[in-house]
Amino acid sequence: MTIMKYAKLIDGAIQFAPKQIKQGDSITYNPTGEMLIPLGYLPVRFTDAPKTDEQHYAVCIWAEIDGEIVQQWHIEEAEPTTEEILNILLGGDTE
């Protein structure tokens, strides 16, 4: 059984719903989606990161799409390692 998570996007950063909410004089622990949606929280849909090679890596970004917050991925080029930089500068194998 998967538990649905709820969150808000604030300046592109995800803020997950609190474990408790105060309504009037009462505190509700583990609020339901029906309680969180009127407070501006949306369901979160997680996705698997794409496979990448050694020269790239996946960066998680969040977007609001059709009433949900959806995890998306952007592929970035990896920075060269110290060994790779030395190989370039020294013109050969550093081992």
Side-chain angles (χ1 to χ4, degrees):
M1 179 173 124
T2 303
I3 297 174
M4 178 61 68
K5 299 272 189 181
Y6 289 83
K8 291 180 181 181
L9 274 183
I10 300 175
D11 296 327
I14 194 165
Q15 178 186 0
F16 287 96
K19 303 277 187 215
Q20 65 184 31
I21 57 173
K22 186 173 182 178
Q23 295 176 314
D25 292 333
S26 66
I27 296 176
T28 302
Y29 295 92
N30 301 316
T32 64
E34 291 79 26
M35 297 171 159
L36 294 169
I37 289 172
L39 299 175
Y41 293 94
L42 299 172
V44 177
R45 182 164 34 107
F46 294 94
T47 61
D48 293 330
K51 295 191 186 293
T52 59
D53 58 29
E54 291 180 4
Q55 289 80 32
H56 299 88
Y57 62 97
V59 177
C60 172
I61 56 175
W62 298 96
E64 186 177 329
I65 301 172
D66 297 329
E68 315 183 283
I69 296 174
V70 179
Q71 185 179 35
Q72 298 180 322
W73 299 93
H74 179 72
I75 304 300
E76 294 282 338
E77 191 169 324
E79 295 291 323
T81 65
T82 302
E83 184 176 331
E84 291 169 333
I85 293 171
L86 286 174
N87 282 336
I88 293 167
L89 293 175
L90 301 175
D93 193 4
T94 59
E95 294 180 19

